[in-house]
């Protein structure tokens, strides 16, 4: 989104509006809010997200590329990003996604085994 599009958004978005901006289901947005991947304020039973928080999240403030994503290279079909503890995988095909998840799982198991000295 460009600056003009961001300024067209209200200062505070409902969960439905925020989900629309991110092009995700409202339940997915609620899970992200509950787990801290996205910051918001709960008013009664409903979530509100500031325009500033949406900009921070979308623009990837604090996102980092994992070693697996770096090893895939820029020409890879799948992209793996760790964003505030949330693992985000973008893949074109389901088989690509399965392979990326398998590789990431194996890497994390190896790292854990090294940490405990196995």
């Amino acid at each position: 989104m460009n600056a003009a599009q961001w300024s067209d958004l209200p200062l505070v978005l409902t969960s439905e509006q925020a989900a629309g901006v991110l092009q995700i289901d409202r339940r997915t947005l609620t899970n992200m809010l509950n787990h801290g991947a996205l910051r918001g304020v709960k008013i009664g039973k409903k979530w509100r997200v500031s325009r500033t928080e949406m900009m921070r999240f979308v623009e990837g403030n604090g996102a980092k590329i994992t070693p697996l994503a770096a090893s895939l290279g820029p020409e890879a079909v799948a992209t793996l990003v760790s964003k505030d503890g949330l693992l985000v995988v973008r893949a074109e095909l389901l088989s690509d996604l399965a392979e990326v998840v398998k590789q990431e799982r194996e890497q994390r198991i190896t790292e854990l085994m090294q940490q405990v000295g196995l």
Side-chain angles (χ1 to χ4, degrees):
M1 294 182 82
N2 62 36
Q5 290 171 314
W6 283 118
S7 64
D8 288 343
L9 293 175
L11 289 175
V12 178
L13 290 83
T14 64
S15 57
E16 290 84 5
Q17 291 169 323
V21 169
L22 297 176
Q23 298 179 2
I24 59 174
D25 187 74
R26 189 187 56 77
R27 280 190 255 162
T28 303
L29 180 93
T30 302
N31 286 337
M32 292 168 64
L33 288 162
N34 286 332
H35 291 97
L38 183 66
R39 294 180 296 223
V41 176
K42 201 166 191 180
I43 302 173
K45 293 183 178 183
K46 301 205 177 210
W47 282 100
R48 298 291 186 265
V49 181
S50 72
R51 177 173 60 196
T52 304
E53 172 62 9
M54 293 295 295
M55 290 171 65
R56 181 201 67 80
F57 184 81
V58 169
E59 292 172 3
N61 217 1
K64 63 178 183 176
I65 304 289
T66 65
L68 173 62
S71 70
L72 290 172
E75 70 284 346
V77 180
T79 306
L80 183 63
V81 178
S82 178
K83 183 180 277 191
D84 297 330
L86 178 68
L87 189 63
V88 178
V89 180
R90 295 185 191 113
E92 288 186 15
L93 300 172
L94 186 55
S95 61
D96 293 333
L97 176 60
E99 184 61 29
V100 168
V101 170
K102 179 183 172 190
Q103 290 175 4
E104 180 68 14
R105 180 179 176 271
E106 289 171 359
Q107 178 183 343
R108 289 183 181 202
I109 289 171
T110 301
E111 288 173 0
L112 286 171
M113 290 175 68
Q114 289 172 348
Q115 287 176 0
V116 296
L118 295 176

